[in-house]
Amino acid sequence: MQPTNLTHMLRRLLLLALLLPLSCRAAEEWQTLFNGKDLTGWHANVMPESFTVVDGAIRAHATKPSAHLFFAGDAKEGFVKFKNFVFEATCRSEPNSNSGIFIHTDMSTRDSALHLAKGYEIQLNSTAKEKRKTGSLYAVVDLAQSPVDESQWFKVRITVNGKHIQIHLNDKPVVDYTEPDNVTRPPERAGRLINAQGGGIALQAHDPGSVFYFKDIRIQRLP
């Protein structure tokens, strides 16, 4: 091999070696959040009896309004914070049920029904009386019609990158929203903001008349 060719090859190898760590940091591996057997790694903020595991899925059925199940990992209390990520879960409901998936939230509540005070809610509710249908970024980007049949299993994918939030149902895009700088919310929704430090992920048990199921729950952190 000629010296010039050898030098060229060494330069290419050096460039690849420099770029490899960058590509490896592009996104972490998928992390499974639910083992399909029990609620290890999950903590309820109140009324833990509202959450059980049935046939390999988390069953959310509030004893009274309302409770939220937070992913806590190995922590004995509190929750894990996620900033930029792709979250996926497979869901279905019993008839006339209400639920939601919260992101960038914490355990603080804003009213007597113990609704969460902070973060965004991805709506899971396609009942006839509900104007904000499943897939809505609740009270921010609302869908007038449900894209799915909630009596059948459907996949929810939530992507957060900076202040950009995307929602897919069964791989179909339904919401693409970027939080404006210095956005203001109504007083009762003042905490509906992206947290620069990240926040918790929580599943909602809304009321005694609602039953939702969640399985295949996983997350991939983004840079």
Side-chain angles (χ1 to χ4, degrees):
M1 181 179 292
Q2 296 295 323
T4 54
N5 291 337
L6 180 60
T7 300
H8 181 66
M9 181 178 294
L10 290 173
R11 285 177 177 172
R12 290 186 65 185
L13 290 172
L14 178 60
L15 180 61
L16 288 172
L18 291 172
L19 291 177
L20 184 59
L22 294 177
S23 63
C24 290
R25 291 198 299 271
E28 295 184 7
E29 295 295 324
W30 284 98
Q31 176 187 358
T32 299
L33 302 187
F34 171 52
N35 63 21
K37 299 180 293 184
D38 55 42
L39 294 177
T40 298
W42 293 83
H43 293 165
N45 63 336
V46 294
M47 297 177 285
E49 66 276 9
S50 299
F51 302 96
T52 55
V53 176
V54 177
D55 296 331
I58 295 175
R59 183 177 187 263
H61 182 203
T63 54
K64 61 181 180 178
S66 59
H68 296 83
L69 189 68
F70 284 74
F71 179 72
D74 296 329
K76 293 183 178 180
E77 59 184 24
F79 54 88
V80 176
K81 290 184 177 181
F82 297 98
K83 183 178 180 181
N84 297 323
F85 57 85
V86 182
F87 171 91
E88 290 186 349
T90 303
C91 315
R92 76 169 180 87
S93 75
E94 300 293 345
N96 298 314
S97 291
N98 187 353
S99 185
I101 300 171
F102 283 77
I103 60 172
H104 274 251
T105 191
D106 63 21
M107 291 187 175
S108 61
T109 58
R110 59 180 174 82
D111 55 26
S112 60
L114 303 180
H115 293 123
L116 295 180
K118 295 182 180 178
Y120 286 90
E121 178 187 0
I122 290 74
Q123 170 80 309
L124 300 176
N125 183 350
S126 293
T127 59
K129 65 180 180 180
E130 177 57 52
K131 295 181 179 180
R132 299 178 171 112
K133 301 298 188 182
T134 290
S136 297
L137 192 62
Y138 193 93
V140 177
V141 181
D142 292 324
L143 306 181
Q145 295 183 337
S146 177
V148 296
D149 175 1
E150 290 181 329
S151 68
Q152 306 297 316
W153 290 106
F154 63 96
K155 184 170 76 172
V156 179
R157 182 164 76 248
I158 306 161
T159 304
V160 179
N161 197 349
K163 293 191 174 185
H164 187 199
I165 302 172
Q166 296 173 296
I167 301 170
H168 289 71
L169 297 183
N170 288 338
D171 297 321
K172 177 184 176 181
V174 295
V175 169
D176 192 319
Y177 172 77
T178 299
E179 181 186 287
D181 294 336
N182 303 315
V183 65
T184 58
R185 305 291 189 205
E188 70 275 12
R189 307 285 183 187
R192 182 152 291 167
L193 298 167
I194 290 289
N195 189 324
Q197 305 303 314
I201 288 175
L203 310 178
Q204 183 185 58
H206 187 273
D207 62 81
S210 296
V211 180
F212 250 89
Y213 300 89
F214 303 86
K215 65 178 183 178
D216 303 329
I217 308 171
R218 64 178 190 164
I219 198 164
Q220 182 184 44
R221 291 184 186 266
L222 302 176

